Amino acid sequence: MPEPGQVTCIDPNFDPDTYKPAWQAPGLADQVRRVPHSNHVAEMLGGTGVALLVTGLSLAVAPRVRRLIVPLAALGTMALTAYSLQFVLLYTVSYLGGSDLLSDNQSFLIMTVALLVVCPVWRRLLGQGPFERLLSAAARRAAHVG
């Protein structure tokens, strides 16, 4: 049992003694059973289907709500910078002993809203994010070397 405040991804009904990976499962019934994160055929097909559905809906809806998704698009163009900032912030908070700040969804919500506000402003005023600019410069230099 996990300690209070810990998160576990293991199904409470999971039995490691009787579990077999998909490639060792003997029959169809074992292939389609739903065990989270087990890489069974049904899970992989379901995950692929959900991904295709979300992608299709996003492509269909995006042109109609262009103004609403500008912050999300700006964040997407600065993903490396955003992830790096989140990592540095979470590491700093954890290092300073604020682990209870990391255990709730409020800190995630604050970081998400801050990035959705800052990224469009940065993109409009300065263009690429700083890490994306650095990566682009390195790629251009590497292209000229070869």
Side-chain angles (χ1 to χ4, degrees), residues 85-86 89-90 106-116:
L85 286 173
Q86 286 178 332
L89 179 65
L90 291 173
Q106 185 178 2
S107 58
F108 169 74
L109 182 64
I110 291 169
M111 281 191 297
T112 302
V113 169
L115 286 170
L116 288 172

Side-chain angles (χ1 to χ4, degrees), residues 22-106:
W23 60 87
Q24 293 178 352
L28 182 62
D30 288 328
Q31 292 292 325
V32 296
R33 70 179 175 181
R34 293 184 44 96
V35 178
H37 310 294
S38 61
N39 294 330
H40 278 160
V41 174
E43 182 193 8
M44 290 188 286
L45 289 174
T48 302
V50 169
L52 289 172
L53 178 69
V54 169
T55 302
L57 287 174
S58 298
L59 290 171
V61 171
R64 293 174 180 85
V65 293
R66 183 172 292 267
R67 294 185 86 96
L68 294 175
I69 63 170
V70 166
L72 194 59
L75 177 60
T77 63
M78 297 175 42
L80 180 60
T81 298
Y83 292 150
S84 300
L85 286 173
Q86 286 178 332
F87 175 78
V88 168
L89 179 65
L90 291 173
Y91 181 80
T92 304
V93 167
S94 176
Y95 183 77
L96 295 175
S99 60
D100 40 328
L101 287 174
L102 304 177
S103 62
D104 63 355
N105 289 334
Q106 185 178 2

Side-chain angles (χ1 to χ4, degrees), residues 5-19:
Q6 287 182 329
V7 176
T8 181
C9 293
I10 297 176
D11 183 359
N13 301 323
F14 178 76
D15 182 9
D17 296 327
T18 60
Y19 171 74

